[in-house]
């Protein structure tokens, strides 16, 4: 049976890289048929039709059907997975509250449509920024879908962090494990290498030992990851697209297929108030293990004073975003 996968913002840059990877089997497997439903706003329908033609012209063996639409009902009906990529981008002169208000409206509508039309088992990953709070809005507006089925993307930040450590240690990124992104997908996020491991000569070495530069791990490493998106924009004059699409694929693939026993990944998931002092009801990035389509927060990691301060700062920002966004959707 084919999986129905919805991608929003489907005429955009990220989707252009994402759709090909999903349709050729990088996420759900080379033998799993997929039906793609592509959602975008009415002015983008012409561009989206071109994307549909390209997908058809790829002649991908597992791609059964492509549906392009500006109607949420058509896009979300009976879907198994939702990749909510589309969002209002921050424009020059726009204050953060204006961005929150614009996206609260979008994700309120999409949450209600998911609640009404999608399967109750649907897995939702929110990419459009502010991703954590947009995921929380969609979740709140879809009360019949389990909260555990909503997540936001912080895998791009994790991939960036792994790459930085790998480069510092002169190893491939596959040799770096257990890197954690805590908190918000914003400049307050906390990329944490305290528990990370680097595999060298077949042996697991603590990243702090392999890097052997504590000042870098507590300084440039963190700020480089926090500001990487801005650095890409400064260089490309466009936001991250290829790397974002790859991270979405990683996120959903691991959610569906599971993580390795000796590793974990970072996902923005709902806090129950019992993990690492994070307030209840925030979508906060934690280290998680994935199995059988379900996530579990990795418990019991040591948190020193340095980490505690960073984790609290990003939680505070998320509380402020949540309160502002909830006021907007109550209007």
């Amino acid at each position: 049976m084919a999986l129905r996968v919805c991608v929003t913002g489907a005429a955009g840059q990220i989707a252009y890289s994402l759709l090909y990877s999903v349709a050729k089997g990088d996420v759900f497997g080379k033998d799993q048929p997929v039906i793609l439903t592509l959602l975008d706003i009415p002015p983008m329908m012409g561009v989206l039709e071109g994307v549909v033609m390209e997908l058809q012209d790829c002649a991908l063996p597992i791609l059964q059907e492509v549906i392009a639409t500006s109607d949420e009902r058509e896009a979300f009906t009976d879907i198994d997975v939702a990749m909510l990529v589309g969002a209002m981008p921050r424009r020059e002169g726009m204050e953060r509250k204006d961005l929150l208000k614009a996206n609260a409206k979008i994700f309120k509508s999409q949450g209600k449509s998911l609640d009404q039309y999608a399967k109750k088992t649907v897995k939702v990953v929110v990419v459009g920024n502010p991703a954590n709070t947009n995921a929380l809005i969609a979740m709140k507006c879809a009360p019949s879908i389990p909260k555990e089925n909503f997540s936001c993307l912080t895998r791009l930040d994790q991939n960036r962090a792994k790459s930085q450590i790998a480069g510092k240690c002169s190893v491939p990124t596959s040799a770096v494990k257990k890197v954690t992104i805590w908190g918000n997908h914003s400049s307050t996020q906390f990329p944490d290498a305290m528990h990370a491991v680097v595999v060298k000569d077949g042996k697991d070495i603590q990243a702090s030992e392999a890097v052997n530069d504590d000042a870098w791990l507590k300084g440039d490493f963190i700020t480089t990851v926090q500001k990487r998106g801005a650095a890409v924009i400064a260089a490309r004059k466009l936001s991250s697209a290829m790397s974002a699409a790859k991270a979405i694929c990683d996120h959903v693939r691991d959610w569906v297929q599971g993580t390795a026993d000796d590793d974990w990944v970072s996902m923005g998931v709902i806090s129950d108030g019992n993990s690492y002092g994070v307030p209840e009801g925030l979508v906060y990035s934690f280290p998680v293990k994935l199995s059988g389509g379900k996530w579990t927060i990795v418990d019991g990691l040591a948190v020193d004073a340095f980490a505690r301060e960073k984790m609290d700062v990003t939680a505070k920002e998320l509380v402020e975003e949540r309160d502002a966004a909830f006021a907007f959707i109550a209007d």
Side-chain angles (χ1 to χ4, degrees):
M1 183 179 292
L3 284 175
R4 296 184 73 91
V5 180
C6 176
V7 177
T8 72
Q13 268 207 103
I14 293 173
Y16 195 71
S17 294
L18 172 64
L19 291 168
Y20 176 69
S21 294
V22 173
K24 76 183 181 75
D26 288 352
V27 179
F28 303 106
K30 303 295 183 184
D31 300 318
Q32 174 59 60
V34 294
I35 296 169
L36 290 174
T37 66
L38 311 183
L39 179 68
D40 217 310
I41 57 176
M44 298 303 293
M45 285 299 102
V47 175
L48 191 54
E49 191 55 42
V51 174
V52 172
M53 287 189 276
E54 285 212 71
L55 283 166
Q56 292 168 340
D57 294 349
C58 287
L60 296 162
I62 65 167
L63 182 58
Q64 286 196 351
E65 187 179 1
V66 185
I67 300 161
T69 183
S70 60
D71 180 69
E72 290 180 359
R73 177 175 182 169
E74 186 177 12
F76 291 146
T77 294
D78 293 333
I79 58 170
D80 298 283
V81 176
M83 302 176 179
L84 306 186
V85 179
M88 172 73 76
R90 190 168 188 170
R91 298 196 173 98
E92 189 173 351
M94 181 182 280
E95 293 185 21
R96 189 166 183 83
K97 66 177 181 181
D98 299 323
L99 183 68
L100 275 169
K101 186 173 185 178
N103 281 298
K105 183 178 179 181
I106 293 169
F107 286 87
K108 178 180 181 179
S109 176
Q110 291 186 359
K112 287 183 172 182
S113 293
L114 285 165
D115 195 58
Q116 190 168 357
Y117 305 118
K119 292 179 180 177
K120 300 310 175 190
T121 54
V122 65
K123 287 179 167 55
V124 182
V125 55
V126 176
V127 180
N129 286 318
N132 298 59
T133 300
N134 288 341
L136 188 60
I137 293 166
M139 179 194 302
K140 184 176 176 64
C141 295
S144 71
I145 298 171
K147 292 180 179 180
E148 294 76 19
N149 290 27
F150 288 84
S151 65
C152 83
L153 186 75
T154 57
R155 186 61 170 268
L156 177 54
D157 306 304
Q158 179 188 306
N159 287 348
R160 289 166 169 165
K162 284 181 68 171
S163 177
Q164 292 298 312
I165 293 170
K168 191 77 168 176
C169 296
S170 301
V171 298
T173 54
S174 58
V176 181
K177 300 182 292 186
K178 298 183 177 178
V179 175
T180 301
I181 304 296
W182 299 98
N184 200 3
H185 175 63
S186 74
S187 60
T188 68
Q189 65 174 264
F190 173 39
D192 182 9
M194 180 186 298
H195 306 284
V197 171
V198 175
V199 181
K200 274 195 167 185
D201 301 322
K203 296 179 180 178
D204 286 0
I205 304 169
Q206 287 298 121
S208 55
E209 181 183 340
V211 170
N212 194 29
D213 188 342
D214 196 50
W216 180 80
L217 283 173
K218 290 186 174 181
D220 287 349
F221 163 68
I222 293 172
T223 56
T224 297
V225 177
Q226 288 174 332
K227 298 176 181 178
R228 189 67 163 188
V232 170
I233 291 171
R236 281 189 80 222
K237 313 307 177 191
L238 294 166
S239 59
S240 302
M242 178 177 20
S243 57
K246 164 63 164 55
I248 298 164
C249 290
D250 291 345
H251 177 111
V252 178
R253 183 199 63 233
D254 287 348
W255 199 355
V256 172
Q257 300 186 23
T259 47
D261 291 340
D262 63 345
D263 203 359
W264 61 64
V265 296
S266 298
M267 286 174 64
V269 297
I270 192 69
S271 169
D272 60 5
N274 297 318
S275 298
Y276 299 102
V278 176
E280 183 178 1
L282 297 179
V283 172
Y284 188 99
S285 182
F286 292 99
V288 301
K289 286 181 172 286
L290 298 154
S291 180
K294 297 184 182 299
W295 53 264
T296 306
I297 294 172
V298 177
D299 287 328
L301 299 179
V303 175
D304 63 12
F306 177 82
R308 182 76 268 161
E309 181 182 2
K310 300 286 187 186
M311 292 163 68
D312 288 348
V313 165
T314 194
K316 181 175 182 291
E317 181 181 57
L318 281 170
V319 168
E320 292 169 354
E321 282 188 12
R322 177 197 64 193
D323 292 349
F326 281 9
F328 292 137
I329 65 173
D331 293 344

